[in-house]
Amino acid sequence: RLIDAAKAAGADAVKLQTYTADTITIDHGSEEFWIKDGLWNKRRLYDLYREAHTPWEWHKPLFEYARDAGIVIFSSAFDPTAIDLLESLNAPAYKIASFEIVDLPLIRLAASTGKPLIISTGMAQLGEIVDAVDAARAGGAKELVLLHCISGYPAPCAEANLNTIPALAKTFGIPIGLSDHTLGTSVSVAAIALGARVIEKHITLASEGDTVDSAFSLAEAGFGQLVSDCQSAFTALGTVHFGPVASEANVLSLRRSLYAVRDIKAGELISADNVRSIRPGIGLAPKYWDVIVGRLAIKDISRGTPISWELIGGIKS
């Protein structure tokens, strides 16, 4: 149902997370294995991951279902056994989660598959991102994407720091995206305007109620709005362009220009009393006002006539 919802919303791909509680942590009760605040406060890591993980035996039918539905499916790999499983399913790409960006051997292994690699950068210092990119390239990654990320659940908009996106693009010269844990869609849309080319967002079913990630996920309708708004934002970027575009063609003539606003007799001076800058834009451009003021009309000019050079003579002697 989640795959169907993502497909219906217009998403380009769905991503799973491939781990078990035993591959991501150990069953241990000491203090450092407990979460001390935030969304999962007072939960033990092992218990949280046991609840949240996607059973490995589900992966094959889910991959088959998504492919039959016509949507790309891949996964975040959290250890070498996950990569083995995903390779057996011919996963088309890999994701390295923010918490794993420091696991350089895992990054090199994922890169060695030759598949496109996406790395989230939540919590990472610039040097750690450099290390991860170097590891990916050393492992053979040819197609690499970094996702700017704030690993807060949910992440406050005030901490989104989206200006990091163009800085990452300039530093690494590769596509940059956003792994968005904020509420709503506005941060993702803003990221597109700053150059993001991949948006990752959690999706939930409205009928599911509370799940481990529902507090920062979008339900189906919201996800559809996210896709639509991001596509519109990307289209709106367009190109650098000066001058009228097609949709402005029918109003171009409505700009201001110089018009006779009362009848002017031949030989009469052009002045602010008889010529003004008004709409529409058939007459001389307003920038010529200082040129024509004080000159003589060389023929009668009726009120409502656009001023042209053929109507204007010299200065009164």
Side-chain angles (χ1 to χ4, degrees):
R1 290 175 59 198
L2 284 165
I3 290 170
D4 289 340
K7 172 71 174 177
D12 298 297
V14 293
K15 184 186 69 66
L16 310 179
Q17 294 184 334
T18 305
Y19 65 85
T20 69
D22 292 299
T23 65
I24 202 169
T25 189
I26 58 173
D27 188 356
H28 202 282
S30 62
E31 182 181 0
E32 62 265 34
F33 287 85
W34 287 80
I35 301 170
K36 297 179 178 61
D37 54 27
L39 181 61
W40 304 299
N41 186 35
K42 297 182 179 179
R43 296 206 62 179
R44 197 166 64 110
L45 289 177
Y46 190 86
D47 297 330
L48 176 66
Y49 299 138
R50 183 168 54 186
E51 177 185 349
H53 84 286
T54 301
W56 285 25
E57 62 270 20
W58 291 12
H59 279 62
K60 183 177 180 181
L62 288 173
F63 267 65
E64 291 172 348
Y65 188 89
R67 285 165 173 160
D68 288 343
I71 188 168
V72 173
I73 185 169
F74 67 110
S75 189
S76 295
F78 288 81
D79 83 309
T81 63
I83 293 176
D84 289 341
L85 171 63
L86 294 167
E87 278 296 281
S88 74
L89 299 173
N90 195 27
Y94 285 94
K95 165 82 187 294
I96 301 296
S98 290
F99 289 74
E100 277 60 46
I101 194 172
V102 294
D103 192 341
L104 302 186
L106 177 65
I107 292 174
R108 284 192 291 268
L109 181 60
S112 72
T113 66
K115 309 287 181 62
L117 185 60
I118 299 172
I119 302 176
S120 271
T121 62
M123 302 171 289
Q125 301 283 347
L126 180 58
E128 292 173 325
I129 300 172
V130 170
D131 289 344
V133 169
D134 288 347
R137 288 173 170 159
K142 300 281 193 300
E143 297 175 280
L144 182 61
V145 175
L146 291 175
L147 299 187
H148 174 57
C149 178
I150 303 300
S151 296
Y153 305 98
C157 291
E159 295 181 356
N161 291 325
L162 294 183
N163 281 322
T164 308
I165 291 171
L168 286 170
K170 182 178 180 180
T171 300
F172 295 100
I174 58 177
I176 308 299
L178 174 70
S179 181
D180 185 11
H181 299 127
T182 64
L183 303 180
T185 65
S186 58
V187 170
S188 287
V189 174
I192 295 292
L194 287 168
R197 294 297 173 260
V198 177
I199 299 294
E200 178 186 42
K201 190 85 169 177
H202 286 239
I203 187 171
T204 189
L205 299 172
S207 60
E208 280 187 319
D210 289 339
T211 65
V212 293
D213 67 344
S214 58
F216 54 92
S217 300
L218 287 176
E220 301 102 305
F223 209 92
Q225 191 65 50
L226 170 75
V227 173
S228 175
D229 288 349
C230 286
Q231 290 174 341
S232 294
F234 179 73
T235 300
L237 292 177
T239 61
V240 176
H241 176 83
F242 300 99
V245 295
S247 63
E248 296 174 315
N250 64 333
V251 295
L252 184 60
S253 64
L254 300 181
R255 299 198 298 178
R256 298 180 82 96
S257 68
L258 300 178
Y259 264 78
V261 294
R262 68 173 180 79
D263 293 339
I264 306 171
K265 297 294 185 180
E268 187 177 348
L269 287 175
I270 302 298
S271 70
D273 292 330
N274 54 33
V275 172
R276 284 171 39 210
S277 168
I278 63 170
R279 296 182 184 184
I282 309 302
L284 290 175
K287 69 180 181 178
Y288 294 114
W289 168 251
D290 289 339
V291 177
I292 69 167
V293 68
R295 291 179 179 267
L296 299 172
I298 60 175
K299 61 178 70 173
D300 290 345
I301 306 171
S302 61
R303 181 176 183 269
T305 299
I307 299 300
S308 63
W309 293 118
E310 291 76 17
L311 302 175
I312 305 300
I315 299 173
K316 184 176 181 180
S317 60

